[in-house]
Amino acid sequence: MSELPVPYRVIGRRDETPDTVTLRIEPAGEALGPFAPGQFAMVYAFGRGEIPVSVSALLPGGHLAHTVRRVGAVSQGLCAARPGSILGLRGPYGTGWDLGQALGQDVLVVAGGIGLAPLRPLIHAALADRKAYGRISVLIGARTPDDLIFKTESLLWPTAYTGVTVDRPDRGWTGEEGLVTRLIDRARFDPAGTTAYLCGPEPMIGATARELVHRGVPAARVRVSLERNMRCATGHCGHCQLGPLLLCRDGAVVGWDQAEPLMAVREL
Amino acid sequence: MAVTKHGEGTSRGKATARTEATARTEATAVIDRAGLDALIKTLTADGRTVIGPTVRDGAVTLAELDSADALPWGWGTELDAGHYRLVRRTDGAGFAHSSGPQSWKTFLHPQREKLWSAERGPDGALTVRDERGEQPSYAFLGVRPCDLRAIAIQDRVLAGGRFADDGYQERRRGALLIAAECTEPGATCFCVSMQGGPAADAGFDLALTEVISDLGHRFFVRVGSEEGARLLAAVPHEVADMDTEARARGGVSLARDRMGRAMPPVDLRTLLGASPESERWDDLASRCLTCGNCTMVCPTCFCTTTEEVTDLTGDHAERWQRWDSCFDLDFSYVHGGAVRTSARSRHRQWLTHKLSTWHDQFGSSGCVGCGRCVTWCPVGIDLTQEVAALAAEREGADDE
Ligand SMILES: Cc1cc2nc3c(=O)[nH]c(=O)nc-3n(C[C@H](O)[C@H](O)[C@H](O)COP(=O)(O)OP(=O)(O)OC[C@H]3O[C@@H](n4cnc5c(N)ncnc54)[C@H](O)[C@@H]3O)c2cc1C
Ligand code: SF4
Ligand code: SF4
């Protein structure tokens, strides 16, 4: 590993769910090179450590958003940041979603839980240039209504279809119930002319990708974001290996044609 | 053997004459033990830290040398799977031992390294400082041909991609490599079957071949770089005579046929790539202790993890990097648990990475056949045998 973290200042903070926070940050000095949707930064919480976090929005002036779920020491540290707090960032790292692949095609975005965060800059980019694509659909799944992120914003996305479903509804929930794959029927897309972007827990990615390929979406056009332990993000620590891939370098976004045989091997 | 001191000009001149005479493209010479000592002294005087083999704690280890006296003269090694013992040699050879538990990665890619530190100011400001500082300028004496290849492999991993590990790169750029070709391969060595060999073919500044005969104890020297030529010119040396050269080349050539082990002659990349569900992994897992010794001694294993260290004030933090092992349960930890919990999956990861996916990631095999992992495995697991078993299982499956 070689790159040093550069300081970024927190200028905005929003609680998305009881355990998830979106931080808006600006460079406190020099900005990092431009991020593409789907790329990630190694984000440093002082005294706690560094973790990979995707960009959840690309904002004017080199500002970024990160959406972090509190699961352990470092993510807790990041979620505790307040406006004025300084974080350290390295990046950009990873392959990104590559929206270019979808030019002229229908775009299908499928997210599970916090997986919507890395997909949000992709959705923003596609919607900002709507004429370049066919129908844009966004399918969102979460465990419970409380786990839904970007709730208000997602209602306002001018997509062809935005669907939301939860596994375990609470009493006030009037929307869809069940796994996100159930929403595939609701979206209108031409499978052979569709590029899909998937992020969420591995079982959700697998089930969705298989279903889409079954319906005729070419496997290479089903782009999935995978997660492994990462210490360096520069291809030197060996932790993010998935068979032949170093996910920090060859991923984290890869085509399902590449991911499927690897994910089929237990404990790879 | 008479050794005369040459000025730089004359030695270059003679080396050139020799080169033309034998139509070889490389310069050669002969030095004796005193010449070797002068080599170490010259390197030290140049400000280099000279590292080479020496006997310590019952093994040939790599340590700083201040004179040729510290070399393991008269020591050999007796190796087997899970077995290592020093043995006395009557010929007084200094380079007739096999690899010890260490490799040059101890110096180029150290076990622990401070990467950077961070200060938090009263206003919360963050100042990050690179802590790698100036790196030592090493000279490695006695690098085996397998280890030359291992260094070239780590070069590709740590400095050959889009990002370079700055600390590694700087240490590597500053390092001078003096190879020692093998004339006494060990019982766990199998470099030849990994497309290597006991001869040093590239990547050295000087290559030595030890020759002991009634004509004396001497070293045939081949020059591999301008830096090597300058160094040779600065120490007492002679033009290489036919006898020394013939014995040197002959000894190395014989060693090629005396490898203690061999990797089965199969396409390793394909075999391992096709064997994730092999039953052999269960058998292997029943013996492997997942201690990670094999990864520590392997000269190409490069994996690291990071540690965050803070002081009592809480305003000063340090980022450290240290070796990690894919045999460690935490290695594959993601929120919710480790990906590779079984010994089966962790050993499979290691061996498949070494022999197969390393090609995909870094363009070559990750194994040079040095035999260290076989020697230093506490239960004597031998990857050449494991591969043979995987190949047999595959063949059986293909036959059905
Ligand atoms: C490419 C990529 C993008 C990611 N994007 C986001 C995001 O946008 N938002 C978000 O909330 N999370 C994201 N994650 C997951 C996030 O990195 C982990 O939740 C985080 O590392 C947990 O660290 P911790 O110290 O809080 O937890 P602990 O569970 O205490 O983790 C201990 C250590 O294990 C490692 N680790 C644990 N879980 C993971 C994991 N899932 N992935 C990688 N390393 C892990 C970390 O190095 C961590 O320091 C992403 C992961 C990857 C690989
Ligand atoms: S895998 Fe074993 S034999 Fe191969 S280079 Fe590593 S330690 Fe040497
Ligand atoms: S193969 Fe041997 S050295 Fe390697 S982890 Fe298993 S028991 Fe330890």
Side-chain angles (χ1 to χ4, degrees), chain B residues 61-78:
Chain B
T61 57
L62 299 175
E64 190 167 346
L65 305 178
D66 51 11
S67 88
D69 291 344
L71 290 165
W73 303 112
W75 286 107
T77 45
E78 180 188 277

Side-chain angles (χ1 to χ4, degrees), chain B residues 287-295 327 347 373 376-379 381:
Chain B
R287 289 172 281 133
C288 174
L289 312 174
T290 66
C291 66
N293 269 13
C294 45
T295 58
F327 283 94
H347 204 116
C373 58
W376 296 96
C377 172
V379 293
I381 288 170

Side-chain angles (χ1 to χ4, degrees), chain A residues 40 50-54 67-69 71-76 114 117-118 226-231 252, chain B residues 333-335:
Chain A
F40 65 95
E50 267 184 321
I51 56 169
V53 186
S54 309
T67 302
V68 184
R69 187 152 83 99
V71 297
V74 182
S75 51
Q76 227 154 44
I114 180 110
L226 301 177
E227 237 182 73
R228 282 294 178 272
N229 190 308
M230 281 181 195
R231 316 305 311 192
Chain B
Y333 181 83
V334 288
H335 173 62

Side-chain angles (χ1 to χ4, degrees), chain B residues 190 298-299 350 354 366-373 383:
Chain B
F190 58 98
C298 178
W350 182 69
K354 283 279 123 170
C367 174
V368 297
C370 73
R372 283 183 179 89
C373 58
L383 76 170

Side-chain angles (χ1 to χ4, degrees), chain B residues 158-174:
Chain B
L158 297 172
R162 181 160 153 243
F163 301 99
D165 178 322
D166 294 338
Y168 177 87
Q169 181 152 291
E170 203 180 321
R171 286 184 291 274
R172 180 65 182 89
R173 279 192 182 140

